[in-house]
Amino acid sequence: MGKFSKGILFGAVVGAASGLLFAPRSGKATRQKFVDELDDWSDLKEDFTDKLDQFKESAAALQEAAEIYIDPFIEGLTQDVENFKFQAEPRLEQIQEQVEKIQSELPEMPETD
């Protein structure tokens, strides 16, 4: 728990205890109210802890999914691009050679002003 969360919890407990101790009730009613308030705070803390645990589990599952699926997908995609380049470069060179050959065989056009 962070300092801020502990500070809020401490302040709430002190505030609740002060309210209970200075409230105009009988001793028995005050004690029962105090016990009820502690139970409520205990439930709240437990709920907060459960939510925090669920968040941690979700974050861990997301990290695991990224490692299992996303990283290999990116690696596979990168490999596909490299393969495409490897296969395309010789073809592009052949096309360039053909274009140059055609250009060299074309009769030169007279320049017009």
Side-chain angles (χ1 to χ4, degrees):
M1 214 185 273
K3 289 182 181 180
F4 182 74
S5 299
K6 286 180 183 177
I8 288 177
L9 188 58
F10 178 74
V13 169
V14 168
S18 298
L20 290 171
L21 294 175
F22 295 111
R25 290 188 187 89
S26 69
K28 184 177 180 182
T30 301
R31 285 191 299 276
Q32 185 58 47
K33 181 72 174 159
F34 190 70
V35 168
D36 292 344
E37 290 290 332
L38 285 177
D39 286 344
D40 290 346
W41 279 106
S42 178
D43 292 344
L44 184 63
K45 181 183 176 288
E46 189 175 317
D47 187 48
F48 177 76
T49 303
D50 289 345
K51 296 286 189 248
L52 186 59
D53 288 344
Q54 288 173 8
F55 175 77
K56 287 178 183 176
E57 288 172 11
S58 297
L62 182 61
Q63 177 67 33
E64 186 177 339
E67 291 170 0
I68 292 172
Y69 300 109
I70 296 173
D71 291 346
F73 174 76
I74 291 173
E75 288 173 13
L77 191 59
T78 303
Q79 188 62 48
D80 289 346
V81 169
E82 291 299 320
N83 290 341
F84 176 78
K85 281 183 181 177
F86 179 76
Q87 294 172 4
E89 283 178 5
R91 292 181 184 151
L92 291 173
E93 288 175 11
Q94 290 173 353
I95 292 169
Q96 183 63 33
E97 288 172 8
Q98 292 298 323
V99 168
E100 289 172 2
K101 184 177 178 185
I102 291 169
Q103 286 175 341
S104 69
E105 294 177 0
L106 285 176
E108 295 219 8
M109 301 294 285
E111 290 186 28
T112 57
D113 292 330

